[in-house]
PDB file of all heavy atoms in Angstrom:
ATOM      1  N   TYR I  13     -41.897  66.177  14.783  1.00  0.00           N
ATOM      2  CA  TYR I  13     -43.027  66.919  14.232  1.00  0.00           C
ATOM      3  C   TYR I  13     -43.291  66.515  12.784  1.00  0.00           C
ATOM      4  O   TYR I  13     -42.398  66.038  12.076  1.00  0.00           O
ATOM      5  CB  TYR I  13     -42.817  68.437  14.349  1.00  0.00           C
ATOM      6  CG  TYR I  13     -41.625  68.973  13.587  1.00  0.00           C
ATOM      7  CD1 TYR I  13     -41.763  69.475  12.297  1.00  0.00           C
ATOM      8  CD2 TYR I  13     -40.367  68.991  14.172  1.00  0.00           C
ATOM      9  CE1 TYR I  13     -40.670  69.984  11.612  1.00  0.00           C
ATOM     10  CE2 TYR I  13     -39.275  69.496  13.500  1.00  0.00           C
ATOM     11  CZ  TYR I  13     -39.434  69.990  12.213  1.00  0.00           C
ATOM     12  OH  TYR I  13     -38.346  70.486  11.536  1.00  0.00           O
ATOM     13  N   PHE I  25     -49.486  66.111  -3.809  1.00  0.00           N
ATOM     14  CA  PHE I  25     -50.894  65.778  -3.645  1.00  0.00           C
ATOM     15  C   PHE I  25     -51.721  67.061  -3.667  1.00  0.00           C
ATOM     16  O   PHE I  25     -52.361  67.434  -2.692  1.00  0.00           O
ATOM     17  CB  PHE I  25     -51.113  65.004  -2.343  1.00  0.00           C
ATOM     18  CG  PHE I  25     -50.618  63.594  -2.404  1.00  0.00           C
ATOM     19  CD1 PHE I  25     -49.267  63.316  -2.394  1.00  0.00           C
ATOM     20  CD2 PHE I  25     -51.503  62.534  -2.493  1.00  0.00           C
ATOM     21  CE1 PHE I  25     -48.807  62.018  -2.450  1.00  0.00           C
ATOM     22  CE2 PHE I  25     -51.055  61.228  -2.556  1.00  0.00           C
ATOM     23  CZ  PHE I  25     -49.695  60.971  -2.531  1.00  0.00           C
ATOM     24  N   ILE I  29     -57.638  67.483  -0.117  1.00  0.00           N
ATOM     25  CA  ILE I  29     -58.105  68.443   0.870  1.00  0.00           C
ATOM     26  C   ILE I  29     -57.316  68.317   2.167  1.00  0.00           C
ATOM     27  O   ILE I  29     -57.573  69.023   3.129  1.00  0.00           O
ATOM     28  CB  ILE I  29     -59.606  68.224   1.166  1.00  0.00           C
ATOM     29  CG1 ILE I  29     -59.836  66.800   1.690  1.00  0.00           C
ATOM     30  CG2 ILE I  29     -60.441  68.515  -0.058  1.00  0.00           C
ATOM     31  CD1 ILE I  29     -61.220  66.560   2.239  1.00  0.00           C
ATOM     32  N   LEU I  30     -56.328  67.426   2.189  1.00  0.00           N
ATOM     33  CA  LEU I  30     -55.581  67.126   3.396  1.00  0.00           C
ATOM     34  C   LEU I  30     -54.240  67.848   3.450  1.00  0.00           C
ATOM     35  O   LEU I  30     -53.710  68.279   2.437  1.00  0.00           O
ATOM     36  CB  LEU I  30     -55.302  65.619   3.475  1.00  0.00           C
ATOM     37  CG  LEU I  30     -56.491  64.677   3.419  1.00  0.00           C
ATOM     38  CD1 LEU I  30     -56.022  63.237   3.389  1.00  0.00           C
ATOM     39  CD2 LEU I  30     -57.423  64.918   4.589  1.00  0.00           C
ATOM     40  N   ASP I  33     -50.627  67.032   8.531  1.00  0.00           N
ATOM     41  CA  ASP I  33     -51.210  66.840   9.860  1.00  0.00           C
ATOM     42  C   ASP I  33     -52.493  66.018   9.810  1.00  0.00           C
ATOM     43  O   ASP I  33     -52.904  65.460  10.825  1.00  0.00           O
ATOM     44  CB  ASP I  33     -51.499  68.189  10.522  1.00  0.00           C
ATOM     45  CG  ASP I  33     -50.229  68.916  10.907  1.00  0.00           C
ATOM     46  OD1 ASP I  33     -49.274  68.252  11.352  1.00  0.00           O
ATOM     47  OD2 ASP I  33     -50.189  70.155  10.767  1.00  0.00           O
ATOM     48  N   ASP I  34     -53.135  65.956   8.651  1.00  0.00           N
ATOM     49  CA  ASP I  34     -54.341  65.143   8.496  1.00  0.00           C
ATOM     50  C   ASP I  34     -53.997  63.680   8.200  1.00  0.00           C
ATOM     51  O   ASP I  34     -54.854  62.814   8.319  1.00  0.00           O
ATOM     52  CB  ASP I  34     -55.213  65.678   7.360  1.00  0.00           C
ATOM     53  CG  ASP I  34     -55.704  67.090   7.620  1.00  0.00           C
ATOM     54  OD1 ASP I  34     -56.136  67.361   8.751  1.00  0.00           O
ATOM     55  OD2 ASP I  34     -55.647  67.917   6.691  1.00  0.00           O
ATOM     56  N   ASN I  49     -55.145  59.170   8.072  1.00  0.00           N
ATOM     57  CA  ASN I  49     -55.620  59.008   6.699  1.00  0.00           C
ATOM     58  C   ASN I  49     -54.519  58.431   5.826  1.00  0.00           C
ATOM     59  O   ASN I  49     -53.360  58.412   6.220  1.00  0.00           O
ATOM     60  CB  ASN I  49     -56.040  60.370   6.098  1.00  0.00           C
ATOM     61  CG  ASN I  49     -57.334  60.873   6.634  1.00  0.00           C
ATOM     62  OD1 ASN I  49     -58.372  60.272   6.415  1.00  0.00           O
ATOM     63  ND2 ASN I  49     -57.288  61.980   7.357  1.00  0.00           N
ATOM     64  N   SER I  50     -54.880  58.041   4.631  1.00  0.00           N
ATOM     65  CA  SER I  50     -53.917  57.563   3.654  1.00  0.00           C
ATOM     66  C   SER I  50     -53.146  58.734   3.067  1.00  0.00           C
ATOM     67  O   SER I  50     -53.682  59.816   2.882  1.00  0.00           O
ATOM     68  CB  SER I  50     -54.660  56.823   2.538  1.00  0.00           C
ATOM     69  OG  SER I  50     -53.778  56.491   1.499  1.00  0.00           O
ATOM     70  N   GLY I  51     -51.867  58.520   2.776  1.00  0.00           N
ATOM     71  CA  GLY I  51     -51.052  59.541   2.140  1.00  0.00           C
ATOM     72  C   GLY I  51     -49.583  59.341   2.418  1.00  0.00           C
ATOM     73  O   GLY I  51     -49.161  58.319   2.958  1.00  0.00           O
ATOM     74  N   LYS I  66     -30.724  67.277  12.845  1.00  0.00           N
ATOM     75  CA  LYS I  66     -32.040  66.663  12.662  1.00  0.00           C
ATOM     76  C   LYS I  66     -32.001  65.635  11.544  1.00  0.00           C
ATOM     77  O   LYS I  66     -31.049  65.589  10.764  1.00  0.00           O
ATOM     78  CB  LYS I  66     -33.103  67.716  12.378  1.00  0.00           C
ATOM     79  CG  LYS I  66     -32.877  68.540  11.134  1.00  0.00           C
ATOM     80  CD  LYS I  66     -33.945  69.614  11.027  1.00  0.00           C
ATOM     81  CE  LYS I  66     -33.716  70.512   9.835  1.00  0.00           C
ATOM     82  NZ  LYS I  66     -34.769  71.528   9.740  1.00  0.00           N
ATOM     83  N   PRO I  74     -50.840  53.609   2.787  1.00  0.00           N
ATOM     84  CA  PRO I  74     -51.423  53.299   1.477  1.00  0.00           C
ATOM     85  C   PRO I  74     -52.940  53.413   1.429  1.00  0.00           C
ATOM     86  O   PRO I  74     -53.614  53.426   2.450  1.00  0.00           O
ATOM     87  CB  PRO I  74     -50.990  51.853   1.241  1.00  0.00           C
ATOM     88  CG  PRO I  74     -50.773  51.291   2.596  1.00  0.00           C
ATOM     89  CD  PRO I  74     -50.335  52.426   3.471  1.00  0.00           C
ATOM     90  N   GLY I  75     -53.455  53.503   0.204  1.00  0.00           N
ATOM     91  CA  GLY I  75     -54.893  53.435  -0.026  1.00  0.00           C
ATOM     92  C   GLY I  75     -55.466  54.552  -0.871  1.00  0.00           C
ATOM     93  O   GLY I  75     -56.317  54.319  -1.714  1.00  0.00           O
ATOM     94  N   GLN I  79     -55.317  60.291  -4.800  1.00  0.00           N
ATOM     95  CA  GLN I  79     -54.806  61.452  -4.076  1.00  0.00           C
ATOM     96  C   GLN I  79     -55.848  62.534  -3.828  1.00  0.00           C
ATOM     97  O   GLN I  79     -55.542  63.720  -3.845  1.00  0.00           O
ATOM     98  CB  GLN I  79     -53.620  62.066  -4.825  1.00  0.00           C
ATOM     99  CG  GLN I  79     -52.523  61.090  -5.118  1.00  0.00           C
ATOM    100  CD  GLN I  79     -51.479  61.667  -6.054  1.00  0.00           C
ATOM    101  OE1 GLN I  79     -51.631  62.747  -6.597  1.00  0.00           O
ATOM    102  NE2 GLN I  79     -50.419  60.938  -6.254  1.00  0.00           N
ATOM    103  N   ASP I  89     -61.517  52.024  -8.486  1.00  0.00           N
ATOM    104  CA  ASP I  89     -61.612  52.144  -9.947  1.00  0.00           C
ATOM    105  C   ASP I  89     -60.260  52.464 -10.574  1.00  0.00           C
ATOM    106  O   ASP I  89     -59.867  51.865 -11.577  1.00  0.00           O
ATOM    107  CB  ASP I  89     -62.626  53.223 -10.336  1.00  0.00           C
ATOM    108  CG  ASP I  89     -64.049  52.852  -9.979  1.00  0.00           C
ATOM    109  OD1 ASP I  89     -64.320  51.645  -9.720  1.00  0.00           O
ATOM    110  OD2 ASP I  89     -64.902  53.753  -9.935  1.00  0.00           O
ATOM    111  N   MET I  90     -59.555  53.418  -9.970  1.00  0.00           N
ATOM    112  CA  MET I  90     -58.259  53.805 -10.524  1.00  0.00           C
ATOM    113  C   MET I  90     -57.261  52.651 -10.413  1.00  0.00           C
ATOM    114  O   MET I  90     -56.480  52.403 -11.329  1.00  0.00           O
ATOM    115  CB  MET I  90     -57.719  55.039  -9.823  1.00  0.00           C
ATOM    116  CG  MET I  90     -56.402  55.514 -10.396  1.00  0.00           C
ATOM    117  SD  MET I  90     -55.852  57.037  -9.629  1.00  0.00           S
ATOM    118  CE  MET I  90     -56.313  58.188 -10.908  1.00  0.00           C
ATOM    119  N   VAL I  92     -57.944  49.446 -10.373  1.00  0.00           N
ATOM    120  CA  VAL I  92     -58.320  48.435 -11.362  1.00  0.00           C
ATOM    121  C   VAL I  92     -57.783  48.841 -12.729  1.00  0.00           C
ATOM    122  O   VAL I  92     -57.229  48.023 -13.468  1.00  0.00           O
ATOM    123  CB  VAL I  92     -59.847  48.234 -11.415  1.00  0.00           C
ATOM    124  CG1 VAL I  92     -60.252  47.413 -12.626  1.00  0.00           C
ATOM    125  CG2 VAL I  92     -60.335  47.578 -10.128  1.00  0.00           C
ATOM    126  N   VAL I  94     -55.174  50.726 -13.428  1.00  0.00           N
ATOM    127  CA  VAL I  94     -53.719  50.542 -13.462  1.00  0.00           C
ATOM    128  C   VAL I  94     -53.363  49.058 -13.480  1.00  0.00           C
ATOM    129  O   VAL I  94     -52.470  48.628 -14.203  1.00  0.00           O
ATOM    130  CB  VAL I  94     -53.047  51.246 -12.261  1.00  0.00           C
ATOM    131  CG1 VAL I  94     -51.591  50.874 -12.155  1.00  0.00           C
ATOM    132  CG2 VAL I  94     -53.199  52.753 -12.389  1.00  0.00           C
ATOM    133  N   SER I 104     -40.813  57.355 -12.521  1.00  0.00           N
ATOM    134  CA  SER I 104     -41.070  58.769 -12.268  1.00  0.00           C
ATOM    135  C   SER I 104     -41.585  58.938 -10.846  1.00  0.00           C
ATOM    136  O   SER I 104     -42.140  58.019 -10.250  1.00  0.00           O
ATOM    137  CB  SER I 104     -42.083  59.330 -13.261  1.00  0.00           C
ATOM    138  OG  SER I 104     -43.393  58.907 -12.927  1.00  0.00           O
ATOM    139  N   GLY I 114     -50.616  52.168  -3.900  1.00  0.00           N
ATOM    140  CA  GLY I 114     -51.470  51.154  -4.494  1.00  0.00           C
ATOM    141  C   GLY I 114     -51.061  49.721  -4.247  1.00  0.00           C
ATOM    142  O   GLY I 114     -51.897  48.825  -4.297  1.00  0.00           O
ATOM    143  N   LYS I 118     -47.849  44.703  -0.791  1.00  0.00           N
ATOM    144  CA  LYS I 118     -46.388  44.781  -0.915  1.00  0.00           C
ATOM    145  C   LYS I 118     -45.800  43.634  -1.732  1.00  0.00           C
ATOM    146  O   LYS I 118     -44.717  43.148  -1.455  1.00  0.00           O
ATOM    147  CB  LYS I 118     -45.730  44.841   0.464  1.00  0.00           C
ATOM    148  CG  LYS I 118     -46.204  46.000   1.303  1.00  0.00           C
ATOM    149  CD  LYS I 118     -45.906  47.320   0.642  1.00  0.00           C
ATOM    150  CE  LYS I 118     -46.461  48.473   1.434  1.00  0.00           C
ATOM    151  NZ  LYS I 118     -46.993  49.520   0.615  1.00  0.00           N
ATOM    152  N   GLU I 121     -46.260  44.545  -7.192  1.00  0.00           N
ATOM    153  CA  GLU I 121     -47.137  44.833  -8.324  1.00  0.00           C
ATOM    154  C   GLU I 121     -48.483  45.325  -7.809  1.00  0.00           C
ATOM    155  O   GLU I 121     -48.901  44.986  -6.712  1.00  0.00           O
ATOM    156  CB  GLU I 121     -47.365  43.576  -9.161  1.00  0.00           C
ATOM    157  CG  GLU I 121     -46.123  43.031  -9.811  1.00  0.00           C
ATOM    158  CD  GLU I 121     -46.420  41.777 -10.624  1.00  0.00           C
ATOM    159  OE1 GLU I 121     -47.602  41.456 -10.842  1.00  0.00           O
ATOM    160  OE2 GLU I 121     -45.463  41.121 -11.024  1.00  0.00           O
ATOM    161  N   LEU I 130     -58.170  47.033  -1.074  1.00  0.00           N
ATOM    162  CA  LEU I 130     -58.681  48.400  -1.064  1.00  0.00           C
ATOM    163  C   LEU I 130     -60.188  48.426  -0.884  1.00  0.00           C
ATOM    164  O   LEU I 130     -60.721  49.285  -0.179  1.00  0.00           O
ATOM    165  CB  LEU I 130     -58.278  49.136  -2.342  1.00  0.00           C
ATOM    166  CG  LEU I 130     -58.598  50.628  -2.352  1.00  0.00           C
ATOM    167  CD1 LEU I 130     -57.913  51.335  -1.195  1.00  0.00           C
ATOM    168  CD2 LEU I 130     -58.179  51.237  -3.667  1.00  0.00           C
ATOM    169  N   ILE I 137     -63.824  51.799   6.287  1.00  0.00           N
ATOM    170  CA  ILE I 137     -63.866  53.227   6.579  1.00  0.00           C
ATOM    171  C   ILE I 137     -65.291  53.764   6.489  1.00  0.00           C
ATOM    172  O   ILE I 137     -65.710  54.582   7.300  1.00  0.00           O
ATOM    173  CB  ILE I 137     -62.917  54.001   5.638  1.00  0.00           C
ATOM    174  CG1 ILE I 137     -61.471  53.689   6.020  1.00  0.00           C
ATOM    175  CG2 ILE I 137     -63.169  55.497   5.694  1.00  0.00           C
ATOM    176  CD1 ILE I 137     -60.438  54.238   5.103  1.00  0.00           C
TER     177      ILE I 137
END
Side-chain angles (χ1 to χ4, degrees):
Y13 62 94
F25 287 73
I29 59 170
L30 304 175
D33 290 322
D34 298 316
N49 286 295
S50 173
K66 61 184 177 179
Q79 305 170 353
D89 293 343
M90 182 176 258
V92 168
V94 170
S104 76
K118 302 300 176 218
E121 296 180 11
L130 188 59
I137 289 173

